[in-house]
Amino acid sequence: MDANSYASKTHNSYNPMKKTFLTALASATFAFAANAQSHELTIEMKKNGAPIQETMYGLFIEDINYAADGGLYAELVKNRSFDFPHAFTGWKFAGNVEVRHDGPFDRNPNYVRLSSSGHGHKWTALANEGFFGIGVEKDKEYRFTFYARVPEGYKDARIRMELAIPVTNREGQDFLAHEMTVSGNEWKQYEVIVKSPLTEPRSELRIFLLGNNPVDLEHISLFPVDTWKGRKGGLRKDLMEALADMKPGCFRFPGGCIVEGTDLDTRYNWKNTLGPVENRPLNENRWHYTFRYRFFPDYFQTYGLGFYEYFLLSEEIGAEPLPVVNVGLSCQYQNYGEHAHVAVDNLEEYIQDAIDLIEFANGDTTTEYGKIRAQMGHPEPFNMKFLGVGNEQWGPEYVVRLEKFVERLRKEHPEIAIIGSSGPNSEGHDFDYLWPEMKRINVDLVDEHFYRPETWFLSQGNRYDNYDRKGPKVFAGEYACHGANGRKWNHFNASLLEAAFMTNLERNADIVHMATYAPLFAHVDGWQWRPDLIWYDNLRSVRSCSYYVQQMYAHNTGTHVLRATEAGTPLAGNDGQDGLFASAVWDANKKEVIVKVINVSEQPQEVKLTFTGLKKNQQPQLVDVTTYHSDDLYADNTLDNPTAIVPQVKSAENVTLDVANVPAKTFAMYRFKVEGRK
Ligand code: AHR
């Protein structure tokens, strides 16, 4: 554990309480407090309950809130190929700049020609604004690349790249410059690595034409050198570290509504994300000009972060990849009527996309798509096991299409677990229609989504207790507590209620096989949706309270459920349970019992923990106690204070008897060693 996972453990070399504490452990029934307990949690240890899937707590990414371009994908230049519908989106230009359309990359054909302005006192130049500015850090290196040639009749041309602060009182705006010569009439890639002399979150990239000779420029790019795993054109390191620190069990991508697109032409097309980034065609982002109140008309997908990258990053963070494909529906929120979707008899291309995706992920290198994967750098299969068919779809128009997919997939790829949807609501008409349909179609998992207020989270402590054990398993694929009365920002109380709700996921791990909070990322200057798991600006990032709740679960998943009840009933926030929620798991690898207790009430609660079914020599030894709490229920970690609210871990040596109290509004977690148990 490091500072970025949990607050560091505190160890005292000598603790006078220790002896008393261990003496208390000597009895099979161990009470935290000597005095009266208002609640008792009996943890049955005679036998293990259901196994908990390794996929259980995962992550879900969608390119919303500038999550990919402008976020995880570390490219700093917006519209690097001039192929946005308005070729100069993101750019300013001066002098003699012309957009041309016969560039070296057929699927991104635009480029610019910079020619002399015809006047010695008028510069021809370009300036790129980046994503809410271009963030650079002092002494860090940046890789500037571009493709270029000089037009016929010229031998060479000179340019000067600069990083500048557009709004400043300094004498000169530029703080870094490098001059380069472009030679020859053939397109070539040029590269220079520059070091920033200062930290500036909102700089601008400028390119000046020097001299009188014209030059053609294409795919102008700037990346930090220090990316995740040091890859050229790679992913933002701090954000990837946050994902890896989660130790997620699964990784769902690429969305969300972007799977569907505002219309079918702009659906996420995974095949367009293959091969060299220069020739991945641009796609409109579903979230760009969809809201008037949060209007981002310059939000597009370069696909620089594509399916190959998603599979690779899943592998690198140890998560099962869980891609989602379009089922032949454009976004159902934005389109009404069959005409907006693919006709049911016309689904072949879409079904083939799903089949080809499996080949891309798992096929050997002699297959068409397996070969592409190998050419991209990964001859070994990615071992994909799950496939989402459709995002958050609903209605008979979904069911009729899904059936066609399932028919073919079962025939050709019975090894792949298919994930269907129960629609956008946690209950109600669509949900009640879809679950029986999912059972009839016999999908393997059903993806449930719930963005709900506090009252809902408080009332759902028993949600899965009575689900049909014979049907498909549950994937809680998108959920977050959306605070009522406009309190949709990330805050501690919302995360606490999410923690409470998650005891129910854990207790029902026989049927709940995966759960992913949503959405994953948000740029503070460009979000469309909140709350989100991780926030960032151009240089800094912060893990929200919800991140730490997810991490507490993901790091303490255990291998088996343990039955934990009060008088035979789970603690699930029900009447008479004083706002307590609890679950317990056994970790057969570490020989640990992990008990999670969430107290959402405003009073501290005493909970007596009773372990039954253990042999005399198997007394649980407390390893540590983790508590997660904020006095300010509406506060969250911030970019300026990213560790304001983080879990506190105390080792057993530091535990005194008052740990019997689960403080008000607290997520408490107790880890015990039980040697000699399986
Ligand atoms: O995560 C934001 C959106 O919420 C997703 O795109 C969609 O699946 C859900 O409605």
Side-chain angles (χ1 to χ4, degrees), residues 60 62 64 252 255-258 260 287 333 391-392 424 449 451 478 518-519 529:
F60 158 61
E62 169 165 24
I64 186 172
R252 176 177 180 246
C257 294
I258 67 161
E260 302 148 59
W287 299 101
Y333 285 110
N391 168 41
E392 186 182 82
H449 292 183
Y451 297 105
E478 291 188 33
W529 185 288

Side-chain angles (χ1 to χ4, degrees), residues 394-412:
W394 65 83
E397 63 265 44
Y398 172 47
V399 169
V400 72
R401 287 171 175 81
L402 176 65
E403 275 186 285
K404 300 258 179 204
F405 276 74
V406 172
E407 212 174 283
R408 267 282 290 290
L409 285 164
R410 291 293 189 221
K411 222 178 269 166
E412 296 190 29

Side-chain angles (χ1 to χ4, degrees), residues 38-39 577-580 599 601 603-607 660-664:
S38 48
H39 289 277
Q577 295 186 331
D578 295 323
L580 286 172
N599 177 10
S601 79
Q603 283 79 42
Q605 305 287 342
E606 290 184 345
V607 181
N661 283 326
V662 183

Side-chain angles (χ1 to χ4, degrees), residues 268-288:
Y268 191 98
N269 188 334
W270 72 268
K271 284 183 178 165
N272 283 346
T273 75
L274 305 183
V277 290
E278 291 86 344
N279 216 11
R280 299 183 189 177
L282 188 80
N283 194 31
E284 183 179 289
N285 191 303
R286 152 73 173 76
W287 299 101
H288 72 343

Side-chain angles (χ1 to χ4, degrees), residues 232-278:
K232 263 191 184 183
L235 306 180
R236 203 171 130 169
K237 196 176 172 183
D238 58 331
L239 300 183
M240 276 305 296
E241 283 170 353
L243 303 193
D245 286 350
M246 179 64 76
K247 301 197 180 131
C250 62
F251 190 75
R252 176 177 180 246
F253 59 88
C257 294
I258 67 161
V259 168
E260 302 148 59
T262 304
D263 37 47
L264 285 168
D265 286 346
T266 56
R267 74 187 190 278
Y268 191 98
N269 188 334
W270 72 268
K271 284 183 178 165
N272 283 346
T273 75
L274 305 183
V277 290
E278 291 86 344

Side-chain angles (χ1 to χ4, degrees), residues 47-56 473 505-514 557-562 585-586 588:
K47 58 176 195 210
N48 287 334
I52 299 171
Q53 304 299 310
E54 286 179 13
T55 50
M56 186 69 174
K473 308 297 180 205
L505 303 177
E506 188 157 278
R507 194 170 60 248
N508 290 287
D510 61 322
I511 185 163
V512 182
H513 280 194
M514 292 189 250
T557 308
T559 54
H560 296 85
V561 180
L562 291 173
V585 297
W586 169 245

